[in-house]
Amino acid sequence: MTHSIRTYSIALLLAALGTVAFAQQPQSFTKGGAVFQQNFLYIKFKPSSKIVASHLHAGTTTGFADLDRAFETIGVRDIQPFLGLDGDDPRQSDGFVKTIANIVYSNEGLSAERIESMLMTLPEVELVSRRFIFKPCYQPNDPHFTSGDQYGLNLMSVPTAWNTTKGSSSVVLAVLDEGTNYLHEDLMSNLQTNPGEMGTDSKGKDKRSNGVDDDGDGYVDNWHGWDLGSSSGADHTSTYKGDNDPMPGPNEGHGTFVAGCLAATPDNGLGVAGVGFNCHYLPIKCTADTGKNAGNISFGYEGITYAAMHGARVINCSWGGDASGATPSDIAFLNSIIDYATAHNALVVAAAGNNSANIDATPFIPASLDANVLTVGASDENDHVTGFSNYGHRVDVYAPGANIWSTEFPGNSSYGSSGGTSFSCPYTVGVAGLLASRYPNWTPKILKSQIVSTVDALKSPTDRNLYWGRVNAANALIPAKTPALVISSYSVDGTPSGTLNYLNKQYALSITFRNLLGNNGNALSVRLVQQGGYTVQQASASFGALNTDATANGVFKFTRDSSDDGMQLPMVFYVTDGAKYKDSLYLTLEITGDNVWVDTTKPNLSINSYSIDGKTNGSLDYINKQYDLSVTFKNTGGAANFTATLLPKSGYTVHSTAVSLGTIASGGTKSGDFLFVRDTTDNGKQLPMDIQVQSSDYSATLHLTVSITGDNVYVDAVPTVSGNRTSDLRVSPNPASTVAMAYFNLAGESRVAISISDMLGRTVGSYDAGVFAAGANRWELPVAGLASGVYIVRLQTGEGDILVSRVVIK
C-alpha cells in the first residue's frame, strides 16, 4: 500500500503549490501557481487569547493593541466568524470553530504573503491562511454510451461485497462539490435528511421552510444539506450566510455525477448503482452560483467542517489543485481543517488529480496533504493506471476512473459517461461506507488502512511502491489478517517531533509504529529508503510479529545533505512482512536551519593559515623551483593524533609527503612543512593543492590554492665561495628518518663546523665536525632525535666559507 501516514511536508508542497482543480479535465488552472481568493484571509486565534471570532467586527477594537494596529495597516473592511456564526450561535461551544475569523481587507499595497507573515508574528494569532480556490478533477465527457457499462463495480468486486453488507442508512457520505441534483430519480432515495428540520412546528408550519433553526445547529431549514456559497458568495465575501438549497447552479453537473458513483440507488430498475448501496449522502454545495468563481470549490474548508459537524462518516473531495505559491501557514491551516474532521470520526477521501504527475514532487492538495487523507488515483478497465492520473507514494490506492457511468445534471433522469480521479474518489468513498456500516466502531485511520491493505495489484505499472493497487470492496470487508502499520509518533535526537537544524549532521530518528490491523507473520520490518536530501547510515528496524493495536519502536540514522532552510525533508519507508504484506510510509521532517554541523566529539581539521618559503600567504614566482610550504592546521573537533600528506597533483611534484603533526587538542593548532617543485607555466593563475589529514578514526582532504605570480625558470645555483676551497653540500638520503649524511668537497684541508636549525631559524644543534682533507668528504648528521619537518643544514669552514642545504625529516 502507500504511506499509511503523512505528516505533510510543507517544504515539498511549497516546491509546487499552484492552482486547485476538480478531478475533471486536464486542469484549467495556471500551471505552477495556486489560486486564492483575493483580499481574503482566515485567521485562527490561539485559545489562550480568549478571542471569540463572532465578537469581532470591522472598525471596533479587539482588545489587543498590536492586533488592532495590524488590522488598520491591512485595511480590514469586514470581519465575520467562520461558518457565519452569530453572536449566540450554539456552535461557539466548539473550541476549534469559534477561534476562526474570516477577514476581508482592502490594502492592495501589501502582498498576501507579507500580510500573513506580519499577522503570524502576533502573540494572539495561531494560523493565517488564504482561501484556496479548488477545481473539480474530471476528464471531458465521453460521447460514446454503452448501456449498463459499470465495469468498475465488478472489477472492484462490489457485488460480492454487497453479499456481506449493503451498507446502512445511518452511515452518511458527504458530497462536497458544485451541488447535487437531489431530485434525480436515482438519488432521491438515499438523500440524507435532517429529522430536526422535518415535519411541522408548533404553529403547523413545515420545518423545512419555516425560517427557523428548529434543531439549534446554527443553520436555518437545513433539512437536506447546505449551500455554503449561494449567489451572495459569488466573488469576494465573508458576509455570506449560505442557504438551504444545495441544488447545482447552471452548468454545474460535477457533484451530481460524483453523488451517483457513491449513492445512486441499486435495485430500483433505474440508471446506475452507487457503491454505497443503502448509505445516505449529504450534499454540501461549496461553490457560488454566479460570478467569476462559479464552478470552483471556494468553500472547501467550510464544507469539510460542516460535514464533520453534521455526522458525516466519510467525506468526498473530488477536487484539488497545484500547491505552488502557498505558505507554510496556508498548508497548516488546511491540515488543521482535515484533522478536525478526523477528530469527529470522519474519513476525508481526496482525488489525486489528473496532471499525469508524481504528487510527491509536484503536490496536489488536499490529496498530498496529510496522514488523515485517503488519496485515490484512477485506473481503467484493464487494471492499468490511466494516462491522466497523478501517481506517487502519496497516492494510497487506485479505483476505476475511466469511462464511468453515473447520474447527470441537468435533468432528473439523465445519465452519462465521464472519467477522472473525481469518480475514482467516490467509488472508494462508497467502499469506505460499506466498511463503516459493517464495522461501526472503526476509526477513520482503520478504515483507511483496511482499504489500502486489501487492494488487488495493478497490472501496469507493476512498481507497487509508486502504484500500490486497485480497491477491492469484497476483500476490504474480510476481517484483516495482514498488518497495517502507521507512524504513531516520532522524535529527532530525542526531541518529540523534532526539526533539522544542521547540514551534514547525523540524526537519530526514533519512530513509534502502530499496527492498526491483523498479524499473520513474524517478519515485520521497516526500511528507510535512500532519497535526495539525506544519506542513510542505519536503514532498517525489525519487529517480528506485532499484534493488532500494538506498537513498536524503530531507530533510523541519516545525515541531512541538502540546503533548504524553511523547507521540509520528505522521507520514505518501505514496510514488509515477507511476501504477505508490503507498504510505503511517508514522513516529512521540518527543516529549521542550514548551519553546517561540526561534531566536537570527533576530530575535524581545517587549514588555518599557510606560508611559502617563510612568507605568509606567499606566492609562486618561479617554475622548477623547490618551495617550502608550511601549513598551520586547526582542530575544531575532538583531540587526536594527526598526520598530513601533500598529495601528488598536476602542476607540482612533491618532494616531501607525509608529516606527523602529533596530537592536536580541541581548538588547538599545529604546523607541518612540505617540499614541492612547481612544474607548470601558468602565470596569473593559481595552483590548487590537496592535503590529506588523518587520525585513527578520521580522514579528510583539505584544499589549498596558492597564487602564481611569475613564470621565470629557476636555476638553483651552488653558492660561490672565496678561494674556491669549497664547492658543494648535499644531504642524503633526503627525506631522511634516523640516518642522514652530509656530503661536501673541500679545496684544501680545513676544520668544519656544522649547525642544524628549523624553518623558524631556531638552532637545534651545533657541531664541530673535525678537520677534513681536501677533496670529497662526508659526515653523519645527528638527526635521529629530530621531529618531522624541514631543517636547514649550515656548513662553515675554518676559512669562513659557508654552504647551506635542506633536509626533510619524516
Side-chain angles (χ1 to χ4, degrees), residues 256-325:
T256 301
F257 204 101
V258 167
C261 292
L262 59 86
T265 308
D267 285 345
N268 63 353
L270 300 173
V272 295
V275 175
F277 210 104
N278 289 325
C279 294
H280 280 197
Y281 74 97
L282 179 67
I284 302 173
K285 184 170 174 290
C286 299
T287 64
D289 292 337
T290 59
K292 64 182 180 181
N293 284 330
N296 293 331
I297 303 296
S298 303
F299 300 95
Y301 302 80
E302 293 84 352
I304 293 172
T305 308
Y306 180 96
M309 292 177 69
H310 288 83
R313 196 69 171 84
V314 191
I315 299 174
N316 188 94
C317 301
S318 288
W319 38 264
D322 183 8
S324 59

Side-chain angles (χ1 to χ4, degrees), residues 197-201 204-211 214 221:
E197 295 285 353
M198 302 284 285
T200 57
D201 62 15
K205 293 183 178 180
D206 189 342
K207 290 183 179 180
R208 296 180 299 178
S209 57
N210 64 356
D214 294 289
D221 298 338

Side-chain angles (χ1 to χ4, degrees), residues 43-363:
I43 299 183
K44 186 177 187 303
F45 299 104
K46 293 178 181 177
S48 58
S49 73
K50 307 297 184 183
I51 294 177
V52 177
S54 61
H55 295 170
L56 300 180
H57 303 284
T60 61
T61 61
T62 65
F64 296 93
D66 52 356
L67 187 59
D68 291 335
R69 283 192 294 270
F71 281 179
E72 182 178 358
T73 298
I74 67 176
V76 170
R77 60 183 177 85
D78 195 11
I79 305 176
Q80 291 288 333
F82 190 57
L83 299 180
L85 299 175
D86 293 324
D88 57 352
D89 195 292
R91 288 167 291 168
Q92 287 194 40
S93 62
D94 189 306
F96 177 82
V97 172
K98 72 178 182 180
T99 62
I100 301 172
N102 300 347
I103 304 292
V104 177
Y105 62 92
S106 59
N107 190 334
E108 301 288 349
L110 295 174
S111 69
E113 293 88 346
R114 185 175 177 185
I115 292 174
E116 274 193 18
S117 178
M118 177 179 66
L119 292 173
M120 283 291 290
T121 64
L122 302 180
E124 303 82 29
V125 175
E126 181 177 321
L127 287 172
V128 182
S129 173
R130 291 167 287 177
R131 172 186 276 161
F132 277 99
I133 304 299
F134 298 100
K135 294 180 180 291
C137 301
Y138 60 95
Q139 293 293 105
N141 286 341
D142 187 340
H144 302 288
F145 178 83
T146 303
S147 179
D149 186 15
Q150 284 193 277
Y151 73 91
L153 274 62
N154 289 322
L155 204 59
M156 294 193 299
S157 300
V158 171
T160 302
W162 288 339
N163 290 331
T164 302
T165 179
K166 289 183 172 61
S168 169
S169 60
S170 65
V171 172
V172 178
L173 313 177
V175 178
L176 278 54
D177 221 284
E178 297 176 328
T180 303
N181 179 15
Y182 51 85
L183 298 178
H184 194 287
E185 63 179 7
D186 228 358
L187 294 174
M188 290 190 296
S189 297
N190 282 333
L191 175 65
Q192 174 68 7
T193 57
N194 179 5
E197 295 285 353
M198 302 284 285
T200 57
D201 62 15
S202 58
K203 297 180 181 180
K205 293 183 178 180
D206 189 342
K207 290 183 179 180
R208 296 180 299 178
S209 57
N210 64 356
V212 176
D213 181 9
D214 294 289
D215 63 351
D217 70 345
Y219 296 92
V220 175
D221 298 338
N222 58 328
W223 66 274
H224 60 340
W226 193 254
D227 178 0
L228 287 162
S230 74
S231 58
S232 65
D235 295 325
H236 52 275
T237 189
S238 68
T239 59
Y240 73 94
K241 277 293 187 180
D243 60 50
N244 73 333
D245 187 9
M247 186 67 72
N251 304 313
E252 293 183 339
H254 185 264
T256 301
F257 204 101
V258 167
C261 292
L262 59 86
T265 308
D267 285 345
N268 63 353
L270 300 173
V272 295
V275 175
F277 210 104
N278 289 325
C279 294
H280 280 197
Y281 74 97
L282 179 67
I284 302 173
K285 184 170 174 290
C286 299
T287 64
D289 292 337
T290 59
K292 64 182 180 181
N293 284 330
N296 293 331
I297 303 296
S298 303
F299 300 95
Y301 302 80
E302 293 84 352
I304 293 172
T305 308
Y306 180 96
M309 292 177 69
H310 288 83
R313 196 69 171 84
V314 191
I315 299 174
N316 188 94
C317 301
S318 288
W319 38 264
D322 183 8
S324 59
T327 65
S329 186
D330 290 330
I331 301 306
F333 182 78
L334 183 51
N335 259 329
S336 73
I337 295 291
I338 294 170
D339 291 344
Y340 175 86
T342 305
H344 282 69
N345 208 33
L347 172 64
V348 176
V349 184
N354 308 320
N355 299 323
S356 307
N358 185 331
I359 63 171
D360 301 336
T362 307

Side-chain angles (χ1 to χ4, degrees), residues 743-768:
Y743 295 89
F744 53 92
N745 287 304
L746 295 179
E749 182 180 271
S750 180
R751 178 171 291 278
V752 172
I754 294 178
S755 65
I756 302 175
S757 59
D758 62 20
M759 293 300 295
L760 297 179
R762 296 172 298 193
T763 301
V764 298
S766 296
Y767 312 97
D768 181 359

Side-chain angles (χ1 to χ4, degrees), residues 410-623:
N412 295 335
S413 58
S414 301
Y415 301 89
S417 172
S418 189
T421 57
S422 271
F423 314 126
S424 309
C425 188
Y427 269 180
T428 305
V429 166
V431 174
L434 296 178
L435 265 180
S437 302
R438 177 73 169 172
Y439 305 104
N441 294 326
W442 279 13
T443 66
K445 287 188 177 182
I446 295 177
L447 292 176
K448 173 183 173 180
S449 295
Q450 178 71 357
I451 291 171
V452 175
S453 296
T454 55
V455 297
D456 291 330
L458 290 158
K459 293 180 180 177
S460 176
T462 57
D463 179 1
R464 297 202 73 185
N465 291 320
L466 287 181
Y467 305 90
W468 173 238
R470 189 251 310 128
V471 175
N472 185 310
N475 287 350
L477 288 170
I478 299 172
K481 293 183 179 179
T482 58
L485 241 58
V486 298
I487 295 175
S488 180
S489 62
Y490 70 91
S491 65
V492 178
D493 288 344
T495 301
S497 302
T499 62
L500 309 180
N501 301 311
Y502 294 95
L503 286 166
N504 300 340
K505 181 182 187 300
Q506 184 183 83
Y507 290 93
L509 174 63
S510 179
I511 300 179
T512 299
F513 299 92
R514 182 179 298 276
N515 180 20
L516 297 181
L517 297 178
N519 172 30
N520 67 340
N522 297 301
L524 192 61
S525 64
V526 180
R527 176 170 63 90
L528 175 59
V529 181
Q530 184 76 42
Q531 297 275 101
Y534 60 90
T535 302
V536 179
Q537 282 84 40
Q538 183 171 314
S540 300
S542 298
F543 306 131
L546 197 61
N547 293 327
T548 303
D549 207 39
T551 60
N553 191 70
V555 177
F556 308 87
K557 294 182 180 179
F558 68 94
T559 297
R560 176 189 160 211
D561 50 27
S562 65
S563 178
D564 41 15
D565 187 19
M567 307 284 280
Q568 292 186 329
L569 183 65
M571 314 188 81
V572 179
F573 299 83
Y574 289 166
V575 185
T576 183
D577 192 359
K580 303 166 186 175
Y581 165 66
K582 293 183 179 180
D583 194 2
S584 297
L585 303 179
Y586 225 95
L587 177 65
T588 302
L589 302 179
E590 185 178 356
I591 292 173
T592 53
D594 281 341
N595 295 321
V596 177
W597 171 257
V598 177
D599 187 352
T600 57
T601 65
K602 294 182 179 180
N604 186 61
L605 226 55
S606 61
I607 294 176
N608 191 56
S609 62
Y610 74 92
S611 65
I612 301 291
D613 288 344
K615 184 178 180 180
T616 302
N617 298 330
S619 60
L620 310 179
D621 301 313
Y622 294 95
I623 297 172

